[in-house]
Amino acid sequence: MKKLIAILFLIMITVSCNSQKVYSDFDISYSKSGGYAPIYENLLIKGNDAHYSFEGQGKKIKTSFKLTNEEIQNLNQVLAQNNFRHIAEDHKKIYDRVAISINVKNGENSANKTDASMIMPQSQKNWDQIVNTFQNTISKNVKNTP
């Protein structure tokens, strides 16, 4: 009986560790979180596989889908055209607002950027174009998006 319990315990640990892998092993991530009525939205991309989750406003969505090579190429092109690596973040402290973070781990656009403390005015247009591209990708691939 003890062996059975030990085996079940090991299986549970293994499964729980593997289920978290999707949240740490990605090429590109887009996340939106915070606010007075908090929301949590995540898009994680690894290769052509995408994992999307949303929680807030009384909704809970969790789905996976495939992105086409064209969609991946478009994301990378928008990041490059809008100088993602060189977007200037402001460092003022701002609280109780929805913040967007984008993390690109590989390639020429590799960087982490967030508007949690705002984006400098000279980079705002570029940031908005990048954010709109991610939002369009989500809207195109996920039904019932908020």
Side-chain angles (χ1 to χ4, degrees):
M1 186 67 173
K2 287 183 180 180
K3 285 184 180 182
L4 179 62
I5 292 173
I7 290 171
L8 289 174
F9 182 71
L10 288 174
I11 290 172
M12 285 180 15
I13 290 174
T14 304
V15 169
S16 67
C17 290
N18 285 339
S19 68
Q20 297 300 315
K21 186 176 182 184
V22 70
Y23 299 106
S24 61
D25 187 24
F26 58 85
D27 298 329
I28 300 173
S29 76
Y30 167 89
S31 66
K32 188 175 178 180
S33 62
Y36 290 113
I39 63 161
Y40 305 96
E41 182 176 34
N42 293 293
L43 175 65
L44 305 171
I45 302 169
K46 177 69 175 177
N48 289 56
D49 297 321
H51 304 281
Y52 175 79
S53 63
F54 178 88
E55 188 173 340
Q57 303 169 345
K59 295 181 182 181
K60 197 170 193 175
I61 301 169
K62 197 172 205 178
T63 187
S64 295
F65 55 90
K66 294 273 188 192
L67 292 172
T68 64
N69 288 337
E70 184 179 279
E71 288 173 309
I72 298 292
Q73 184 178 3
N74 182 47
L75 278 174
N76 284 318
Q77 185 176 7
V78 168
L79 289 166
Q81 286 174 344
N82 289 288
N83 297 317
F84 177 68
R85 290 185 68 174
H86 301 289
I87 287 179
E89 300 169 73
D90 199 343
H91 296 289
K92 295 177 187 170
K93 298 287 185 199
I94 300 176
Y95 301 99
D96 295 329
R97 68 183 292 269
V98 176
I100 297 173
S101 297
I102 300 173
N103 182 354
V104 180
K105 286 190 174 181
N106 302 323
E108 64 185 44
N109 299 311
S110 170
N112 299 323
K113 300 291 178 180
T114 183
D115 70 351
S117 295
M118 302 300 280
I119 298 294
M120 296 298 279
Q122 70 269 22
S123 297
Q124 190 64 51
K125 182 179 175 187
N126 293 6
W127 177 257
D128 291 342
Q129 289 177 347
I130 292 167
V131 168
N132 287 337
T133 301
F134 278 98
Q135 286 292 322
N136 290 338
T137 300
I138 292 168
S139 296
K140 180 181 173 187
N141 290 288
V142 179
K143 303 281 189 259
N144 302 322
T145 54

